[in-house]
Amino acid sequence: MTRFRGVLRASAAALAVIAALAAATPAQALLTPSFRAVDPPGDPTTLWEVDVLDAAHAYAVGWRGYDGSPDTSVLRWDGSSWSRLPLTAGYDVPSPCCVAAVAPDQVYVTGSRTIADVSWPRSAYWNGSAWSEIPPPPGWTPRLPGDEWTGPIAATKDGSLWSIRFRNTSGTDILRLRQGSWTVYPRTENLGLLRAVDGGDQIVFAAENGVVLWDGTAMRSLGRPGVSPRGVYVEGPGRIWVSGYQPRPNRPATPAIARYDGARWTVSALPGDADTASISGDGEGHLILPNSGGTTAPAYLYFDGASWTRVSGPARPSAGYAGAYAVDRVPGTSTILSVGGANVTNLTGFAISELISPR
């Protein structure tokens, strides 16, 4: 009987090892996100920003051309492929920086145009068939006909477009455009970034001297994040990530990321070469940051919930350099859409895009 018990114990131990290995397999899979290239075919564009409305609608902006006089480029993703939105004469944004989609027939673009070596703000609105001018915020005096304001923009599910305006004195104005009318929310923080909750009515505004949350009805201060922000990702009101640089007295600032858990901010270091300008995730604590490229494959930093690793997207063999510049999650899914550009020579290149599944 003693020998039989020993066999039972050995069998139980073996089963425990097998079960442990089986349990470890999904966790190990988190360390390697999957990538699928979905480049716009033959498009000579560098894409700088993307906003995903839903699984069948996303919009990206960038510069088309490499001859020193780039043209506006606004691309639309339908869930399977990219196409170009037609331009309307007089309402282009030659150097677009930001895009926000309220609906397929409500897409906003801001940026600038250069006249006599001077950069002027520029913005435009897509109504589903043509471009037109965005009504300027209150108190704005256009410096040139057709010029409005420039800066970061974001949209929320309730149909609002949000932006930020710097004041000459101190602080900033949070701007909200809804049903053709602007509302101004004066703030003392020097806000410079904003990001909407994926598919929701809440939005976060970030600055080194404070983070502000619009919870759907009112503004709430969330305190200082402990970093100088460059990127914001919002999983929910109690799950906010701010990437940027951590100031250090008498020493260079270092890449860092701050996490808000609903009560307080916690700052942790990022790898020293981290590019912190854009950040997104799968909604469950796994994050993606586009990182410095320099090869034929775009580079990323991936956070599996415990640590950061460097990963690469698909290679573009014809490119001397391929880089991802912006990421945004498809609401309701764990999929992330990435956009960027690849250089073949100094004067030629093409747009790149990837679908990323962190889990």
Side-chain angles (χ1 to χ4, degrees):
M1 188 67 180
T2 302
R3 183 178 178 182
F4 184 65
R5 285 199 201 96
V7 171
L8 285 178
R9 282 196 293 268
S11 300
L15 288 173
V17 170
I18 293 171
L21 290 172
T25 301
Q28 184 66 27
L30 291 175
L31 296 176
T32 309
S34 62
F35 295 84
R36 180 163 67 91
V38 289
D39 298 346
D43 197 306
T45 295
T46 299
L47 296 172
W48 299 112
E49 187 59 85
V50 63
D51 187 37
V52 182
L53 183 60
D54 54 43
H57 300 91
Y59 301 86
V61 295
W63 301 342
R64 185 185 188 195
Y66 289 79
D67 59 357
S69 55
D71 297 323
T72 309
S73 187
V74 184
L75 274 60
R76 173 174 50 200
W77 170 256
D78 64 6
S80 60
S81 62
W82 290 95
S83 61
R84 181 181 299 280
L85 291 183
L87 300 179
T88 302
Y91 294 104
D92 63 325
V93 182
S95 299
C97 71
C98 310
V99 60
V102 174
D105 59 354
Q106 285 182 270
V107 181
Y108 299 88
V109 175
T110 60
S112 62
R113 62 173 173 170
T114 300
I115 301 175
D117 295 326
V118 177
S119 180
W120 301 91
R122 186 74 172 150
S123 58
Y125 162 70
W126 171 256
N127 66 6
S129 59
W131 293 93
S132 60
E133 182 179 280
I134 302 176
W140 178 269
T141 303
R143 301 171 73 176
L144 285 176
D147 288 329
E148 296 85 42
W149 85 103
T150 185
I153 52 176
T156 46
K157 189 179 178 181
D158 64 355
S160 297
L161 175 73
W162 298 83
S163 190
I164 295 170
R165 176 175 59 191
F166 295 98
R167 293 200 300 266
N168 290 332
T169 52
S170 63
T172 47
D173 290 332
I174 293 176
L175 307 172
R176 182 188 189 187
L177 177 64
R178 190 179 185 205
Q179 298 178 346
S181 178
W182 287 96
T183 303
V184 179
Y185 302 88
R187 301 294 305 187
T188 58
E189 300 88 352
N190 298 317
L191 303 170
L193 293 174
L194 67 164
R195 188 73 175 265
V197 177
D198 289 336
D201 289 336
Q202 299 168 332
I203 190 166
V204 169
F205 306 84
E208 185 175 338
N209 67 340
V211 174
V212 177
L213 168 71
W214 169 261
D215 63 10
T217 58
M219 298 287 178
R220 289 199 293 121
S221 177
L222 304 183
R224 292 174 177 260
V227 298
S228 179
R230 294 193 69 217
V232 181
Y233 170 60
V234 187
E235 291 180 321
R239 293 177 297 165
I240 300 169
W241 302 84
V242 176
S243 58
Y245 290 88
Q246 185 174 21
R248 301 187 302 168
N250 302 318
R251 289 183 295 171
T254 55
I257 189 164
R259 180 181 183 271
Y260 184 73
D261 62 7
R264 62 184 58 84
W265 291 94
T266 303
V267 179
S268 56
L270 288 172
D273 62 346
D275 185 349
T276 59
S278 184
I279 178 174
S280 191
D282 65 355
E284 298 183 11
H286 313 119
L287 308 176
I288 283 282
L289 279 79
N291 203 27
S292 301
T295 67
T296 60
Y300 300 86
L301 286 175
Y302 173 59
F303 183 68
D304 64 5
S307 61
W308 292 92
T309 56
R310 293 177 174 85
V311 295
S312 297
R316 276 70 173 185
S318 64
Y321 171 93
Y325 302 125
V327 286
D328 195 24
R329 182 166 76 104
V330 180
T333 76
S334 60
T335 301
I336 296 165
L337 184 62
S338 168
V339 299
N343 287 1
V344 178
T345 70
N346 288 337
L347 296 177
T348 61
F350 55 90
I352 67 170
S353 180
E354 298 172 346
L355 291 171
I356 308 170
S357 297
R359 293 186 297 169

